[in-house]
């Protein structure tokens, strides 16, 4: 299993450098000039040219990319064009917000999705089963940003049960930290929760038709015992695969949710970097996001080996 995980990790390393290269190319094709933004109002051509020379913006794309890769290998992600802060310092300060949001969203998705799928399986073919499948299908079609606005309007502005915006670090207390993450976490976790529900319900339906399950039921075992002891582990195989993709989607969706709830996270940082043409910060965000996705996929692969013995062999 260790050898398998090592091969998967080595195969994913090139992705960490290919994605930033694509971002370099897209930045080069995008309209606008970072030097003009930094030069302020009514900049002179000499001022703009001096900034371009200072930031090496006149160098070819591949040369700038090679310089950036060299700095990354030395542990230097550069300095923000707009704030003069190091990219590592900027990302580290805002990383906790985004990772807390992603964590809450994924916990909500797994707990709610697995619960609904198990309830539907235990009431297979009945009204509850049809209701759960219909509810999950509707949830997939609901945009996360719209659902986030609805939650904020009802539970924050109307009922005043949770804060409408902002973020409190965990050091300030568990409840202040969690209360600021409940609404954005639910909005962000709605789609993966619905997908987990449908995937696990479908997988359990197929497993329940297997010969060994039918044999267990023929021996007189209760349906709950058959589901939890004999079916659930095998049914988790496709769900584990889906969760790896969902983490990437949740990380991307956090950009919109952080803007709605005014949370100082990496998503908001990425938006500000795009608007201000802050190339080092944008590349740092892309590198961080790609690293998280690679690590999550590696964890999913290892978990997949636990649920599927064929992978371990």
């Amino acid at each position: 299993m260790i050898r398998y995980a090592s091969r998967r990790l080595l195969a994913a390393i090139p992705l960490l450098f290919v994605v930033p290269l694509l971002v370099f190319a897209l930045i080069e094709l995008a309209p606008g000039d970072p030097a003009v933004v930094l030069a302020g109002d009514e900049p002179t051509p000499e001022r703009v040219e001096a900034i371009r020379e200072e930031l090496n913006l006149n160098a070819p794309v591949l040369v700038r990319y090679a310089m950036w890769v060299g700095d990354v290998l030395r542990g230097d992600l550069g300095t923000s064009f707009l704030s003069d802060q190091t990219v590592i310092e900027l990302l580290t300060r805002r990383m906790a917000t985004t990772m807390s949001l992603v964590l809450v969203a994924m916990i909500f998705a797994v707990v709610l999705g697995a619960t609904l799928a198990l309830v539907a399986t235990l009431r297979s073919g009945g009204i509850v089963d049809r209701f759960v499948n219909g509810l999950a299908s509707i949830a997939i079609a609901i945009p996360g940003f719209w659902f986030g606005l609805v939650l904020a309007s009802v539970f924050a502005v109307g009922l005043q049960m949770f804060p409408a915006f902002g973020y409190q670090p965990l050091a300030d207390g568990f409840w202040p930290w969690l209360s600021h993450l409940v609404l954005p976490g639910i909005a962000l976790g709605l789609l993966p929760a619905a997908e987990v529900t449908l995937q696990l319900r479908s997988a359990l339906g197929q497993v329940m038709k297997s010969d060994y399950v039918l044999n267990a039921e023929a021996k007189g075992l209760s349906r709950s015992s058959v589901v939890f002891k004999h079916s659930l582990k095998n049914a988790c195989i496709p769900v584990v695969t889906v969760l790896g993709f969902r983490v990437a989607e949740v990380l991307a969706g956090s950009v919109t949710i952080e803007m709605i709830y005014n949370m100082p996270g990496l998503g908001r940082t990425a938006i500000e970097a795009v608007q201000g043409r802050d190339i080092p910060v944008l590349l740092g965000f892309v590198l961080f996001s790609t690293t998280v996705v690679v690590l999550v996929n590696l964890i999913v692969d290892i978990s997949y080996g636990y649920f599927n013995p064929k992978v371990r062999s």
Side-chain angles (χ1 to χ4, degrees):
M1 194 63 199
I2 296 178
R3 184 180 303 174
Y4 170 75
S6 300
R7 288 200 304 267
R8 296 288 296 176
L9 180 61
L10 291 174
I13 288 178
L15 187 65
L16 298 176
F17 298 97
V18 172
V19 174
L21 177 60
L22 295 177
V23 174
F24 256 103
L26 291 175
I27 292 175
E28 191 70 17
L29 295 175
D33 189 346
V36 175
V37 176
L38 295 173
D41 298 332
E42 299 181 359
T44 62
E46 293 79 10
R47 171 62 177 164
V48 173
E49 185 62 26
I51 294 177
R52 291 186 60 85
E53 287 292 337
E54 180 182 356
L55 300 178
N56 294 319
L57 295 177
N58 288 327
V61 177
L62 292 180
V63 173
R64 283 189 281 130
Y65 172 74
M67 295 171 59
W68 179 81
V69 170
D71 291 338
V72 169
L73 293 178
R74 290 191 296 270
D76 180 14
L77 297 182
T79 303
S80 170
F81 289 168
L82 302 179
S83 64
D84 289 332
Q85 290 180 302
T86 64
V87 175
I88 293 179
E89 178 185 353
L90 186 61
L91 296 182
T92 302
R93 192 175 67 251
R94 298 195 174 188
M95 186 186 304
T97 304
T98 299
M99 298 312 295
S100 297
L101 178 59
V102 171
L103 177 64
V104 171
M106 292 306 300
I107 291 176
F108 168 78
V110 172
V111 172
L112 180 63
T115 301
L116 292 178
L118 290 171
V119 169
T121 302
L122 295 174
R123 299 291 185 268
S124 178
I127 297 178
V128 175
D129 187 14
R130 291 194 291 270
F131 175 77
V132 168
N133 279 278
L135 186 65
S137 300
I138 294 174
I140 288 180
I142 297 178
F145 69 89
W146 178 84
F147 191 56
L149 292 173
V150 172
L151 290 176
S153 300
V154 175
F155 294 100
V157 179
L159 301 178
Q160 297 184 354
M161 295 175 60
F162 300 99
F165 58 87
Y167 170 78
Q168 289 290 330
L170 186 58
D172 292 345
F174 179 76
W175 176 244
W177 171 78
L178 184 61
S179 63
H180 284 81
L181 294 171
V182 170
L183 297 183
I186 292 176
L188 191 57
L190 178 66
L191 177 58
E195 292 176 335
V196 169
T197 300
L198 295 177
Q199 285 283 346
L200 185 57
R201 176 64 188 93
S202 176
L204 281 171
Q206 296 177 1
V207 173
M208 292 294 288
K209 297 177 182 178
S210 303
D211 292 339
Y212 74 93
V213 174
L214 298 176
N215 184 44
E217 290 180 333
K219 290 180 179 181
L221 295 178
S222 64
R223 188 169 184 83
S224 60
S225 178
V226 170
V227 170
F228 286 99
K229 292 184 178 181
H230 300 278
S231 305
L232 185 57
K233 183 177 180 179
N234 289 335
C236 284
I237 294 176
V239 178
V240 169
T241 304
V242 168
L243 286 177
F245 295 105
R246 297 295 81 81
V247 170
E249 289 184 359
V250 167
L251 189 60
S254 66
V255 175
T256 306
I257 298 300
E258 287 178 4
M259 295 298 294
I260 292 174
Y261 288 92
N262 195 26
M263 303 178 71
L266 294 177
R268 189 178 185 87
T269 301
I271 294 295
E272 294 171 352
V274 171
Q275 293 174 341
R277 303 278 296 189
D278 198 344
I279 298 176
V281 174
L282 183 58
L283 290 173
F285 171 78
V286 170
L287 181 62
F288 171 79
S289 302
T290 307
T291 303
V292 170
V293 172
V294 168
L295 292 177
V296 168
N297 286 332
L298 181 62
I299 294 173
V300 168
D301 288 338
I302 296 175
S303 302
Y304 192 84
Y306 167 76
F307 290 106
N308 189 354
K310 293 181 180 179
V311 175
R312 293 198 300 268
S313 60

